[in-house]
Amino acid sequence: MDLARRMFMGQLARLAAGASLVPLATVAEAAINDQPPRRGGDPTKRYAMLIDLRRCIGCQACTVSCHLENDAPLGKFRTIVSQYEVDDPETGDMSTFFLPRLCNHCDNPPCVPVCPVQATYQQEDGIVVVDAERCVGCAYCVQACPYDARFINDKTQTADKCTFCTHRLEAGLLPACVESCVGGARIIGDLNDPESTIARMIAEHRDELQVLQPEKGTLPHVFYLGMDERFVDRPEAFASIWEIRGTDNEELHYEFSGH
Amino acid sequence: MNSAVIEILAPRYQIAWYPWAVQYFFMIALAYASLWLALPGLLGARRWKATARYALLGAMTTAIVAPIALLADLHQPLRFWHFYAYFTPWSWMSIGSLMLPPFVFAIIALAWLVWREPMLAWRTRDDMTGLIARIATLGGWQTPRFAVVALALFAAVMSFAIAIYTGSEVAILKGRPLWNTQWLLPFFAATGFIGAAGLVLVLNRFTGARDADTDRNMLMVVVAAAVVTALVALAWALEGIFVEDSSVAAAIQSVRHSAEWRSTAIWSLSIGASMTLVSFLLVWRNGARIWGWIIGLVALHLAWMARWNVLMDVQTVQKQTAGYLEYVVGWGSSGWLGVIGTFGLWIALLLVIDMFVPWKQALDGPADAPAEKTDISAKGVPSHG
């Protein structure tokens, strides 16, 4: 990506982080691919997450605790930390960049209107969930999400995704990833409560916050502090992990491949 | 890029739609395009009647197999009734689930009306075919002409809905920039016509009647549909070059550095161009009778491959992480078994219909025993009559 485009994307990411904070009016028009009304959840709240990348050390404690908490199948993740090696164009030094990824619980979630049976929906508190009893496993939502936040769970054969651990929130607990984060990089809270940590941090860092793929108009509600603009979109990176090959030049697979 | 970035760790994001999806999109496009190829003959065009016989057979069989492949692509196929219990008018897939049954049943009913006409003569037979004819014709009445015309027009209207929904369903997905373009609709439709014309050419050769008008008609359809496909591809590419921040530009960007995508593009372009050129030469030099069916196979290959490229290969382009998924088609039911099984089911259906339905005599076809026709001059070519 050239510099001009990168700067443009960076500005867009900041603008969109601001735009994401303006609540999208509950739309109820029946036009094709429009957002259906939200249902369930606490209408007084709007959950969001702020990830302070300056505090993330890439330990994957969030990945592991999420896996244990939510019983995701091996090789599929509701959250994971992408890791990159980046050279600094000014000093020539190599550094490492960690990017925790999870469902963005967008204000305009592209995964919701595509669902043909209304199995996936957005709660009034902004959390996007899946009703696994109703889901037909068509994977249309998996295709619609630009963030790879969804997958078909091999155990249930239905769509699966991060729910901000809504079952824990309801019980007054923090999501597994937030609770296990050693650096305290993940902050979850209610944007509608001006006294919440997240609301105060957003007010404080408003101009520095960025969201992923802002040009898609999804209005993500996972905000990143200390974001490198090169990773806002699909990074132009050398995918080293898939270049590890066996003697037959075949890509080496995970040991749990086939599960 | 003025700095090097190496992705050290990222999950391997798997594909979510299996080859079943390719089979559905292929079969359903063959169904609606074949219906259109059958229309002139069904509505009375004399030189298109033989074409209509093959096209109707093609439309009817593919329309039955397509929804089966679609069902198999669901991870919870037994929950298909949820589509009807929870209708969702803002979802393209849900709209499609309402359009599909009337389309399929209209084509089946149309074929039944057309085929029961010659079947009436079989009602007196003593064997199995007679028994089936007595049941399937539901009485000795003549098929009213207006019913055929009305049903053909209704099916044609529904086929529009199918073409629009199958294209839009994929084209609205912003998550995959390569799909997120309205040019996908005409692309699916035009390549569908290439495939359907190919199917009719192959049926014309291998069911023995070998009608000369059909070969000519279908080669011309192949040429026209290929030209339209090329124009659509050109328009798509031009939009990517000239329109700032279009999804097309993002799409081209996402595959710019892939050698595999380059070779796919070169293969499709060269096969498509050769097929169009040879089809044109065959019409011009009257070589359709001998070589038409080979063009038919190539056309089917192109129409199928276009869907494989669009639906499978695009899923290997990672959405937000670097590189491409090295997708290997498995042998199981979500891999080759599904692909082969779909085609096997389709051939079985063709054979059953060929055994029990006098479809070749429909639409003023030659009376029983469809032997060589008078305009046939080639020698030594085997015939599967």
Side-chain angles (χ1 to χ4, degrees), chain B residues 205-226:
Chain B
R205 170 66 181 77
F206 289 101
T207 56
R210 313 191 65 192
D211 178 71
D213 281 340
T214 296
D215 278 337
R216 246 186 95 80
N217 291 345
M218 290 305 102
L219 285 172
M220 291 197 301
V221 170
V222 165
V223 173

Side-chain angles (χ1 to χ4, degrees), chain A residues 231-250:
Chain A
F231 299 93
V232 160
D233 243 310
R234 189 178 179 223
E236 261 192 50
F238 174 67
S240 67
I241 197 165
W242 309 132
E243 294 303 316
I244 304 165
R245 280 162 198 277
T247 46
D248 52 358
N249 201 35
E250 288 284 308

Side-chain angles (χ1 to χ4, degrees), chain A residues 1 3 5-6 8 30-34 36 60 76-77 80-87 89 94 101 113-118 132-140 142-148 152 156-158 212-213 216 230-231 234-242 245 251-254, chain B residues 1-18 73-77 79-84 86-95 97 168-170 172-177 179 245 250 253-255 257 311 315-326 328:
Chain A
M1 203 186 296
L3 190 64
R5 179 166 155 76
R6 209 205 306 160
F8 169 75
I32 300 176
N33 219 33
D34 272 356
Q60 307 285 0
K76 295 186 174 172
F77 305 91
I80 192 167
V81 184
S82 292
Q83 306 196 352
Y84 298 90
E85 214 167 82
V86 190
D87 80 344
M94 295 295 272
R101 299 181 189 274
V114 297
C115 178
V117 294
Q118 300 168 51
E133 296 297 310
R134 189 184 286 194
C135 175
V136 294
C138 69
Y140 199 9
V142 180
Q143 305 289 7
C145 174
Y147 306 106
D148 277 324
I152 294 290
T156 64
Q157 292 293 312
T158 53
L212 297 179
Q213 303 189 47
K216 298 248 163 45
R230 281 170 287 191
F231 299 93
R234 189 178 179 223
E236 261 192 50
F238 174 67
S240 67
I241 197 165
W242 309 132
R245 280 162 198 277
E251 207 180 82
L252 284 182
H253 293 258
Y254 292 108
Chain B
M1 196 165 62
N2 49 12
S3 61
V5 178
I6 303 170
E7 192 170 75
I8 306 288
L9 183 66
R12 174 202 303 269
Y13 294 108
Q14 301 287 351
I15 65 159
W17 283 350
Y18 302 130
D73 204 38
L74 294 183
H75 288 79
Q76 292 277 3
R79 293 188 182 173
F80 77 95
W81 60 272
H82 288 195
F83 279 93
Y84 304 101
Y86 311 106
F87 176 59
T88 308
W90 52 83
S91 162
W92 272 112
M93 191 183 276
S94 180
I95 293 170
S97 73
S168 303
E169 178 178 72
V170 181
I172 51 124
L173 291 170
K174 286 187 188 162
R176 296 204 179 275
W179 288 346
D245 274 331
Q253 174 74 21
S254 71
V255 295
H257 303 293
L311 294 166
Q315 289 189 73
T316 67
V317 181
Q318 298 289 280
K319 287 172 174 171
Q320 55 167 7
T321 51
Y324 303 87
L325 169 73
E326 202 157 295
V328 181

Side-chain angles (χ1 to χ4, degrees), chain A residues 40-222:
Chain A
D42 185 347
T44 63
K45 288 190 163 73
R46 197 340 169 170
Y47 283 110
M49 190 180 281
L50 188 149
I51 301 181
D52 188 346
L53 295 173
R54 302 168 306 184
R55 289 163 165 263
C56 176
I57 58 166
C59 67
Q60 307 285 0
C62 52
T63 312
V64 174
S65 60
C66 173
H67 237 273
L68 293 173
E69 176 70 29
N70 295 303
D71 195 25
L74 287 169
K76 295 186 174 172
F77 305 91
R78 288 186 175 194
T79 188
I80 192 167
V81 184
S82 292
Q83 306 196 352
Y84 298 90
E85 214 167 82
V86 190
D87 80 344
D88 187 320
E90 280 160 29
T91 64
D93 291 340
M94 295 295 272
S95 59
T96 316
F97 183 70
F98 306 113
L99 182 57
R101 299 181 189 274
L102 70 161
C103 171
N104 284 276
H105 298 278
C106 308
D107 240 12
N108 184 22
C111 53
V112 169
V114 297
C115 178
V117 294
Q118 300 168 51
T120 191
Y121 61 96
Q122 187 159 35
Q123 299 186 155
E124 302 217 45
D125 54 16
I127 298 178
V128 177
V129 292
V130 182
D131 177 353
E133 296 297 310
R134 189 184 286 194
C135 175
V136 294
C138 69
Y140 199 9
C141 59
V142 180
Q143 305 289 7
C145 174
Y147 306 106
D148 277 324
R150 288 171 168 266
F151 55 88
I152 294 290
N153 184 322
D154 313 77
K155 297 175 190 170
T156 64
Q157 292 293 312
T158 53
D160 199 332
K161 69 182 286 297
C162 155
T163 60
F164 271 169
C165 278
T166 179
H167 59 290
R168 289 176 62 95
L169 289 177
E170 281 164 16
L173 298 168
L174 289 171
C177 61
V178 177
E179 183 137 329
S180 62
C181 182
V182 286
R186 292 182 184 237
I187 295 115
I188 191 163
D190 176 16
L191 289 184
N192 292 344
D193 174 8
E195 294 308 308
S196 65
T197 313
I198 190 168
R200 280 190 281 113
M201 283 191 79
I202 283 176
E204 187 185 341
H205 299 286
R206 193 151 190 143
D207 297 337
E208 302 158 66
L209 295 176
Q210 295 193 47
V211 292
L212 297 179
Q213 303 189 47
E215 79 284 0
K216 298 248 163 45
T218 53
L219 306 176
H221 268 51
V222 170

Side-chain angles (χ1 to χ4, degrees), chain B residues 54 127 158 171 173 182 191 200 204 216 233 317 322 331 345 374 380:
Chain B
Y54 301 112
D127 58 5
M158 289 315 298
L173 291 170
Q182 288 306 309
T191 52
V200 173
N204 188 28
R216 246 186 95 80
V317 181
W331 285 105
L345 178 63
T374 46

